[in-house]
Amino acid sequence: MNLKKTINQPFIIAIILFVVVFLIDIAALFNLSLTTSIKNVRDLLVMSGTIFLLIAFVRWIQGIAIYNEIKYILYSYMFIFSINYFSPFCDRIANSVEHIILRSIASIVSLFFLIFVLALIRDLIFVQRKKGTSRNFNLLFILLIYYSFFSKSTNFDFNFKMQFPTAFVLPEWINIVYLVLTILMIYLIVINSFKTHWVKFINKNEKVKTFFSSIIILTLSILLIIKGKVVVSTYNITAGNFFSACCVFITVYFAFSIIVILLHLPTAGVYDRKVKELSSLHNLSRNILGVFDLERVMKIITDQTIEVAGANYCWLLVKNLGSNKFELVAQKDLPITLLDNFSENPTSELTELVEDNKTALKIDRISKYKLISEIKVWRNRSGSLLAIPLISNEQVMGILFAVKNNEYGFLADDQALLTMFANNATIAIENARLLKTSLEREQYEQELKVAHDAQRKLLPANMPETKTLEIDASCITANEVGGDYYDFFQYDKSKLGVIIGDVSGKGAEAAFYMAEVKGVIESLGSIYSSPKELLIKTNKILFNTLDKKTFISALYGIFDLRKKTFTFSRAGHCPLLYWSKEDKEVYLIEPAGLALGLDSGKNFQNILKEEKITYKPDDIFVFITDGVNEARNSDQEEFEEQRLCDIVFENHNQNATAIKNAILEKIETFVGNQKQHDDLTVIVIKVK
Amino acid sequence: MESFEVSKKEDGKVVILNIKGYLDAHTAPMLENELQQLVDAGKYNILVNFSELLYISSAGLGVFMGFIENIRNNEGDIKLSDMNSKIYRVFDLLGFPTLYDIVEEEQEALKKFNS
């Protein structure tokens, strides 16, 4: 109810009209002769005020709960009754200003509340609005106004004698018209009184209260009709008639309401329960589909079990995926002694029984139940118990328990309802678990993507340009980042460093270690001119930072373009393929060496050897990672170095890029549609 | 996915692990669990028989690295035996033979443990 709406135009007009009427009354007191027409004007003013009041109220009372409307009707009507029934102002002739003021106020207040009641009844009628609803009510209101004007009796009676204050005589048949209109009014009173659909929308408790309220209203109404002479009728006969007619309408309406409520009362409990079931289902499905907030769904389920099934306390156990044990996830009103018991050991004989049977367990009389000894604990305070399993993939993933204090507390209906709750809980739990798994997977995939990107960025974007060497390289990453790495370092115009390596870890970790290797070699490469020394130093640094399980195989070497030599050391990496044009032969060169990060330093230093090759034009160097020689075909055969040697032998006349492509193509053909399981890197360097 | 199995038997103070199938990043945690259990139980003399292993990746090799330091500190050892040439090649390339006692046959390793 908004105050701005309250002070609306019809309301102001109504107030003005009543003030004018008041002024006319004052004028009458001072013996200003009032003509009949002035009296009629006064009638019109009062009734117009009434109409405007109704319009104002109709606008005002929208959106009030049905039961509150009944309460307002009751209070308003009691107020109207007390003013009109016990009022001392029923004397027709006003003989003082004081009298007029008090009578006017009492009458206007009465009319005010009467119209309020009428507007509330209109709202009740409009609860189930149909095509004719509005028409029927408006017509009734018009006929009530009509009746007020033309029945000049103070009592509600059927005296249709026209007393229209005119000089000319009206024909007799006009009374028949009035009779017809009055019968129509009575008919409409009855028609409107049938509109009691609002009874369906209040709950049992409210129905009972409304029933008694209606009886009070009915009684007061009848008393007012019997008394007949009310304050309003002394204020204005027309308004008095209107008042009486309204009383009749209210009497009939509430008589009907009482009957309808009486008819509805026996089924009210069931009706309420169905409404609750529906709303709880709605609530559950909204939460299950929308929020994925498992705790909230569990809480709703236990709350609804209490509210809808009328259990005294309940709890929900769900099996933990890791420990495979039942855990208490939600409870409502669970006695503290039991709660302590559960948090320590929720898996009991009872849960085992339900889990084994995979069906609902209903115990009607806990005191007589012999199958489970543990149930003795509850005998003092509990009558009946219902346990419903939450079943997913034919496994009991949880159990919903409800307990009532009285024996035979659970009906078949309750069991169906709780089964429905249990099903909802199952869906919610599964949803939440699925969501968690997919989030984890997404996170893992995201991590892999970051690792892939990082790896890409660590690899050289362009091949180094030298006058005497043709260089090409490719790194094909598997879905799972294996951690292949290669790089070139241009130290000065005549020296080019090459590294190829493989980190044993995977994912982001591998990319991280790769970055570390790159950093170390970039900073130490220009200091140590010997590959062996550089690798010894690198190993020392990496040993301290690498995870125990992680190691890095690497082959590092330096091309001296002036002296035409390649000096390299192999830290546990795949051997170097060297094609010597002079010898017309492919060599696999594998100087002794240990992978980086396996040994703190001494062993590494002792084992590592350095090799020096003096190359000639058209000689070829091929560097690979184990993804090449360990590439597998569908027969689980490995590609092996020998095949690689053959390819280099066959293609030695080609340039570096063509040789590299030949190697990659052969691997691809060899592997076929088998999944690549490791990164695969090939560097081909051909001397011009 | 390729399968991997570990079976365990005891010979005096030595625990022999027979590993079978493919030991890679996916299956490494299985071997890791097995070794962890042995270490937790205070069994530090471990012999790993490779006779039925078909493939080992760098992640598989890493498993042994994760335990060797602790085991040797407790005067135990992980010895490796019965590797086929392909598997041995993987160990050899990385320089593992200088770090681990890799022997031809199970009996030889047992003798070494008991001497």
Side-chain angles (χ1 to χ4, degrees), chain A residues 247-298:
Chain A
C247 282
V248 171
F249 172 54
I250 290 164
T251 309
V252 176
Y253 189 81
F254 278 95
F256 270 93
S257 299
I258 288 166
I259 295 165
V260 173
I261 292 169
L262 268 177
L263 290 174
H264 273 90
L265 264 180
T267 53
V270 179
Y271 189 81
D272 283 4
R273 193 190 139 112
K274 289 292 162 202
V275 169
K276 268 189 201 166
E277 278 178 18
L278 261 183
S279 79
S280 62
L281 251 190
H282 174 72
N283 201 354
L284 273 174
S285 53
R286 196 185 55 211
N287 278 286
I288 287 167
L289 299 175
V291 192
F292 288 104
D293 184 346
L294 202 54
E295 261 179 48
R296 202 168 137 200
V297 174
M298 300 303 161

Side-chain angles (χ1 to χ4, degrees), chain A residues 354 359-361 386-390 398-401 414-415 418-419 422:
Chain A
V354 177
T359 50
L361 172 72
L386 191 56
I388 309 279
L390 276 61
I399 305 170
L400 176 66
F401 291 94
D414 292 315
Q415 190 170 332
L418 290 196
T419 306

Side-chain angles (χ1 to χ4, degrees), chain A residues 480 504 506 548-549 551 553 570 572-575 590 593-595 598 603 607 630 632 636 638 641 677, chain B residues 2 22 25-26 32 55-56 58-59 61-63 65-66 69 86 89-90 92-96 98-99:
Chain A
E480 223 167 275
S504 76
K506 56 173 188 164
K548 261 193 220 166
K549 287 185 278 184
F551 52 86
S553 74
R570 188 190 66 90
H573 198 75
C574 300
E590 194 184 316
L594 192 57
L598 289 176
N603 260 326
I607 294 161
E630 289 177 12
R632 269 180 276 163
Q636 301 299 332
E638 289 184 359
E641 285 101 345
H677 67 278
Chain B
E2 289 98 353
Y22 293 81
H26 290 293
E32 225 168 86
Y55 169 80
I56 187 161
S58 51
L61 291 159
V63 175
M65 292 310 300
E69 197 182 340
K86 220 163 66 185
R89 170 85 181 129
V90 175
D92 189 36
L93 263 182
L94 289 162
F96 269 64
T98 59
L99 303 173

Side-chain angles (χ1 to χ4, degrees), chain A residues 475-480 627 671 673-680:
Chain A
C475 174
I476 301 165
T477 48
N479 283 337
E480 223 167 275
V671 169
N673 52 10
Q674 285 291 104
K675 187 175 161 258
Q676 185 191 349
H677 67 278
D678 198 359
D679 288 10
L680 181 161

Side-chain angles (χ1 to χ4, degrees), chain A residues 18 42-43 46-47 50 84 92 107-108 110-111 114 144-145 147-157 224-225 227-248:
Chain A
F18 284 115
R42 188 174 173 275
D43 277 6
V46 171
M47 292 319 291
T50 311
N84 284 284
R92 187 75 61 95
S107 302
I108 292 168
S110 295
L111 276 176
L114 185 73
L144 286 173
I145 301 278
Y147 177 80
S148 319
F149 277 106
F150 297 106
S151 172
K152 290 292 182 183
S153 159
T154 51
N155 258 324
F156 183 84
D157 60 19
L224 278 175
I225 292 168
K227 183 172 163 47
K229 207 176 174 186
V230 294
V231 173
V232 182
S233 65
T234 60
Y235 169 70
N236 180 290
I237 295 169
T238 311
N241 291 336
F242 179 73
F243 188 93
S244 301
C246 285
C247 282
V248 171

Side-chain angles (χ1 to χ4, degrees), chain A residues 417-595:
Chain A
L417 182 72
L418 290 196
T419 306
M420 190 182 76
F421 286 159
N423 290 343
N424 272 304
T426 312
I427 295 166
I429 293 165
E430 281 179 342
N431 273 349
R433 283 181 179 165
L434 273 178
L435 185 73
K436 194 163 167 258
T437 323
S438 77
L439 279 179
E440 279 168 357
R441 187 174 300 147
E442 197 174 311
Q443 193 180 353
Y444 175 67
E445 277 165 8
Q446 189 61 30
E447 192 187 287
L448 276 185
K449 194 179 170 296
V450 170
H452 267 289
D453 291 351
Q455 195 181 19
R456 281 268 157 238
K457 280 175 195 155
L458 291 171
L459 299 178
N462 302 305
M463 294 299 128
E465 300 274 336
T466 66
K467 284 181 183 168
T468 53
L469 299 176
E470 258 179 38
I471 302 172
D472 202 354
S474 274
C475 174
I476 301 165
T477 48
N479 283 337
E480 223 167 275
V481 182
D484 273 15
Y485 167 64
Y486 72 91
D487 212 347
F488 304 100
F489 305 93
Q490 195 92 48
Y491 295 120
D492 57 49
K493 278 184 181 169
S494 65
K495 280 188 179 149
L496 177 75
V498 181
I499 182 151
I500 183 163
D502 184 0
V503 183
S504 76
K506 56 173 188 164
E509 196 187 49
F512 175 76
Y513 288 137
M514 243 183 260
E516 192 176 354
V517 172
K518 187 185 169 88
V520 170
I521 291 178
E522 233 162 30
S523 57
L524 298 181
S526 49
I527 302 169
Y528 296 95
S529 55
S530 149
K532 180 181 169 178
E533 277 174 47
L534 178 107
L535 286 174
I536 290 168
K537 193 73 195 156
T538 308
N539 178 59
K540 270 190 183 154
I541 295 168
L542 286 173
F543 184 77
N544 293 322
T545 53
L546 286 184
D547 180 74
K548 261 193 220 166
K549 287 185 278 184
T550 309
F551 52 86
I552 301 167
S553 74
L555 189 154
Y556 174 73
I558 297 171
F559 284 94
D560 189 321
L561 305 182
R562 207 168 290 152
K563 291 180 185 164
K564 301 204 178 300
T565 57
F566 179 61
T567 317
F568 74 102
S569 277
R570 188 190 66 90
H573 198 75
C574 300
L576 170 74
L577 252 88
Y578 170 59
W579 157 262
S580 161
K581 195 183 180 194
E582 197 177 59
D583 300 353
K584 301 236 178 305
E585 202 164 334
V586 183
Y587 297 100
L588 279 170
I589 308 170
E590 194 184 316
L594 192 57

